[in-house]
Amino acid sequence: AQTVTQSQPEMSVQEAETVTLSCTYDTSENNYYLFWYKQPPSRQMILVIRQEAYKQQNATENRFSVNFQKAAKSFSLKISDSQLGDTAMYFCAFMTLGSNDYKLSFGAGTTVTVRA
Amino acid sequence: DVKVTQSSRYLVKRTGEKVFLECVQDMDHENMFWYRQDPGLGLRLIYFSYDVKMKEKGDIPEGYSVSREKKERFSLILESASTNQTSMYLCASTADTEAFFGQGTRLTVV
């Protein structure tokens, strides 16, 4: 079974500063993807960033970047220059790629509040 | 524009009722998922389907069933609703590794 653990229920950050969200996962698979999703108060899930396990280079998307440590099974998200619109719940997610099976599993989430 | 539509945004049902939550996607995706979201527990997978008439149990299938008669539609069924099924329900479909979500249905069972 695969599990995703987010150990920080809540984080608060001052506008323009940096915040890092942690995520660890457990799997015996070699072929998988990792994701960070954002869920603002509108409830719509939005893909923030994606990392392929076979790529060593850390993914970046504008102000969002990840630190992927495959051996440690760790996948943290860094939000730089935080903006008020970044206030949301953030979920770490994991997908394995079986022959029929694209099972997508999520962590418990971290609520991020950006203070003005 | 990619779209996953859930039939209701809010729903109130009585204990013991049979409840249908519908999800439709217009992207011809093969994989579809139902999750429930509860505070402190994140999104937990109830069922998923990788093809028409195919279904697989997720992590918490008890008390639920699903139906996928057509590729674009994936229904979640609560055979006899109970108060512990009060939750937010999210549907998703995937193309390769990208998932698209519906807007969620907040179900209250009274």
Side-chain angles (χ1 to χ4, degrees):
Chain A
Q2 57 201 39
T3 58
V4 182
T5 302
Q6 293 179 249
S7 58
Q8 305 151 312
E10 296 180 3
M11 299 281 283
S12 180
V13 61
Q14 193 71 34
E15 195 175 10
E17 295 190 344
T18 295
V19 63
T20 300
L21 311 183
S22 65
C23 173
T24 58
Y25 60 94
D26 189 22
T27 183
S28 57
E29 301 287 337
N30 279 320
N31 189 18
Y32 56 88
Y33 284 75
L34 293 157
F35 309 86
W36 280 97
Y37 281 89
K38 170 184 177 180
Q39 188 183 45
S42 68
R43 303 192 328 214
Q44 186 63 52
M45 294 283 276
I46 302 163
L47 177 64
V48 174
I49 201 163
R50 168 177 40 208
Q51 175 79 42
E52 296 156 49
Y54 62 86
K55 286 189 176 178
Q56 292 192 338
Q57 187 173 5
N58 289 324
T60 62
E61 284 289 338
N62 301 314
R63 298 181 295 105
F64 298 89
S65 61
V66 297
N67 182 4
F68 175 45
Q69 302 289 326
K70 190 171 184 179
K73 295 181 180 173
S74 169
F75 183 61
S76 62
L77 175 71
K78 184 168 81 172
I79 307 174
S80 303
D81 186 25
S82 297
Q83 300 176 359
L84 296 178
D86 295 334
T87 292
M89 179 161 277
Y90 288 80
F91 292 98
C92 180
F94 174 99
M95 176 186 278
T96 51
L97 303 177
S99 54
N100 286 323
D101 185 339
Y102 283 63
K103 187 176 176 182
L104 180 60
S105 301
F106 287 82
T110 298
T111 300
V112 173
T113 303
V114 180
R115 306 185 309 273
Chain B
D1 203 15
V2 162
K3 213 158 193 174
V4 178
T5 303
Q6 293 182 229
S7 52
S8 304
R9 197 157 169 85
Y10 298 94
L11 211 52
V12 179
K13 295 292 181 180
R14 294 193 181 277
T15 302
E17 272 193 81
K18 189 168 186 175
V19 181
F20 292 86
L21 302 184
E22 306 284 351
C23 176
V24 177
Q25 50 99 358
D26 64 359
M27 298 161 286
D28 202 37
H29 289 166
E30 292 181 347
N31 302 297
M32 296 187 74
F33 303 79
W34 274 107
Y35 296 89
R36 64 176 282 175
Q37 182 178 358
D38 300 287
L41 297 176
L43 276 71
R44 293 180 292 166
L45 183 62
I46 305 171
Y47 268 96
F48 64 105
S49 168
Y50 54 85
D51 203 350
V52 175
K53 297 191 188 295
M54 305 303 287
K55 61 185 179 184
E56 293 283 343
K57 291 181 179 179
D59 300 317
I60 52 162
E62 296 78 20
Y64 303 94
S65 62
V66 290
S67 171
R68 191 153 180 216
E69 296 296 319
K70 294 185 178 181
K71 193 174 187 179
E72 66 270 18
R73 186 180 297 268
F74 191 35
S75 304
L76 180 69
I77 304 157
L78 287 66
E79 295 288 342
S80 177
S82 64
T83 54
N84 63 12
Q85 292 177 310
T86 291
S87 186
M88 166 100 103
Y89 290 87
L90 282 167
C91 173
S93 69
T94 63
D96 289 332
T97 61
E98 183 162 5
F100 298 88
F101 286 83
Q103 77 277 29
T105 297
R106 190 171 293 283
L107 172 68
T108 303
V109 182
V110 298

